[in-house]
Amino acid sequence: MANVAVIGSQWGDEGKGKIVDWLSERADVVVRFQGGHNAGHTLVIDGTSYKLSLLPSGIARENKLSVIGNGVVVDPYALASEIERLQKQGLKVSPETLKIAENATLILSLHRELDGLREDSSTGTKIGTTKRGIGPAYEDKVGRRSIRLMDLASLDTLRDKIDRLLSHHNPLRRGLGVTEITVEDIYKELEDIAPKILPYMDAVWRLLDEKRKNGARLLFEGAQGALLDIDHGTYPFVTSSNTIAGQAACGSGLGPDAIGYVLGITKAYTTRVGEGPFPAEQKNKIGQFLGERGHEFGTVTGRKRRCGWFDAVLVRQTAKISGITGIALTKLDVLDGLDELKICVAYELDGKRIDYLPASEGAQARVKPIYETLEGWKDTTVGARSWNDLPAQAVKYVRHIEELIETPVALLSTSPERDDTILVQDPFRD
């Protein structure tokens, strides 16, 4: 059996919730390996909806172990609130079902405040962050001054670590014209939350190694999408972590050989939230149609998503960078009823045709899409559970996407319902 890493192959919001839910039922351990509570998806199990931001999707299922890896930045108050909310819904969230890496970086109130100050500033580049402190927390991690979960277990040494952190943040706050923070402010913040979070702490790398040796199926659950990767995405309009499949190993404490299959969740059209380049964006009736039919609003922020045609150039590129084995194509049903469909197959950059998205911010802003046009279909794809249930033109559309992105379709989703899925290739099998 192969362990599976699930990532988004576009700018996030590809419909990972349903697919991860479907896979988590068959996994033994579900691991979050990057991001924070800026992610979000909704699971519907036995008619009940569970909204998750930080917790792995396995938390909504019995007899599953959920793990938050070292690659995740954890807001302890947001986590405690999410746990309490799910417990009120009847879920059993306990130190037996949830483990958090002892070396996970914490998001503090000063991170949230700094994130908001920067994003709301009238100067500088607006990234379109969720203002939840994700970026500043990762900055402190790389700057070797962050407070980590294990630090809450040694309150006698915590003040010195906070002082080191504030030696960086208070000069920033002075420059931004806001009040400085005292060591005691942060100490009190962490002292109060420590008893609620520490029981979940564990040496996650060792735990996962033991589970793997004992034959457990591991599902690595990514957040956001590959085009938001800090290295390989549309920089600087990206998130602050690596969102590609390689991070599944680094962000959980396992070697890369632990990942046997990479599933790229891929929407049958393209969306993105926030600022940044979007070559195939449709600021017209088509974009409005896709947004309304696809209910394109962010789970966490509620922000309206920008919509456009499927961009095969981008997905082919992310498939290669992430080593995607197969894709799960979602929201095909949103395209039902369109007379024609377009697929971006290449770009024009300064008069030349290219088959990739360049890394330069300026070049990304200048690329123009080159489209192929396909005939649409009038019959519905909603609820299809086999290829025979799909209109002929829908099958042609899917097969052409496979050719263009040089990656096979492993799963095809035809509605938000879990069972409305066409299984072509089982990711959990080698």
Side-chain angles (χ1 to χ4, degrees), residues 32-259:
R32 272 286 307 273
F33 58 84
Q34 50 78 217
H37 63 307
N38 54 341
H41 60 255
T42 301
L43 301 183
V44 181
I45 300 176
D46 297 330
T48 301
S49 296
Y50 302 99
K51 293 187 180 297
L52 307 179
S53 291
L54 189 57
L55 292 171
S57 59
I59 204 70
R61 299 194 176 280
E62 293 185 5
N63 303 317
K64 310 290 181 184
L65 178 64
S66 292
V67 173
I68 296 176
N70 57 275
V72 179
V73 285
V74 179
D75 183 323
Y77 281 88
L79 176 61
S81 175
E82 189 171 335
I83 290 173
E84 182 179 357
R85 173 168 48 79
L86 293 177
Q87 286 174 334
K88 288 181 178 178
Q89 286 188 273
L91 294 185
K92 297 177 181 178
V93 185
S94 71
E96 286 68 46
T97 60
L98 174 65
K99 300 293 184 183
I100 308 172
E102 60 186 357
N103 52 339
T105 293
L106 299 183
I107 299 173
L108 310 179
S109 58
L110 57 82
H111 294 128
R112 295 191 298 271
E113 189 173 0
L114 178 59
D115 204 0
L117 287 168
R118 285 174 171 170
E119 194 64 23
D120 294 337
S121 173
S122 59
T123 61
T125 300
K126 287 190 178 296
I127 304 300
T129 77
T130 58
K131 303 180 185 179
R132 282 165 167 74
I134 310 297
Y138 274 117
E139 288 177 38
D140 284 342
K141 176 181 179 177
V142 176
R144 294 164 292 193
R145 55 181 171 263
S146 64
I147 305 298
R148 302 192 291 177
L149 179 58
M150 65 178 73
D151 295 329
L152 302 190
S154 303
L155 292 178
D156 56 327
T157 64
L158 187 56
R159 284 185 173 86
D160 288 340
K161 294 173 181 176
I162 296 172
D163 188 56
R164 177 183 63 191
L165 176 68
L166 293 183
S167 69
H168 171 79
H169 277 272
N170 274 334
L172 282 179
R173 296 176 69 86
R174 286 198 298 272
L176 291 167
V178 294
T179 306
E180 294 186 26
I181 299 175
T182 69
V183 169
E184 289 305 314
D185 289 335
I186 302 300
Y187 182 88
K188 179 63 174 171
E189 176 182 324
L190 294 173
E191 181 186 39
D192 289 347
I193 198 64
K196 294 184 178 181
I197 302 300
L198 283 175
Y200 300 96
M201 185 175 72
D202 207 332
V204 157
W205 68 269
R206 184 176 60 184
L207 174 66
L208 291 177
D209 182 61
E210 291 173 355
K211 292 289 185 181
R212 185 185 175 203
K213 286 179 179 177
N214 292 329
R217 281 185 195 169
L218 308 184
L219 175 62
F220 299 91
E221 181 181 354
Q224 290 91 39
L227 289 167
L228 294 174
D229 185 272
I230 188 68
D231 288 307
H232 301 286
T234 48
Y235 190 91
F237 304 99
V238 293
T239 193
S240 299
S241 62
N242 287 110
T243 58
I244 60 174
Q247 180 65 16
C250 184
S252 61
L254 289 175
D257 64 330
I259 303 165

Side-chain angles (χ1 to χ4, degrees), residues 38 132 248 265 273 282 318 379 382 398 405:
N38 54 341
R132 282 165 167 74
I265 314 300
V273 171
Q282 298 296 298
T318 60
D379 294 332
V382 175
V398 174
I405 67 174

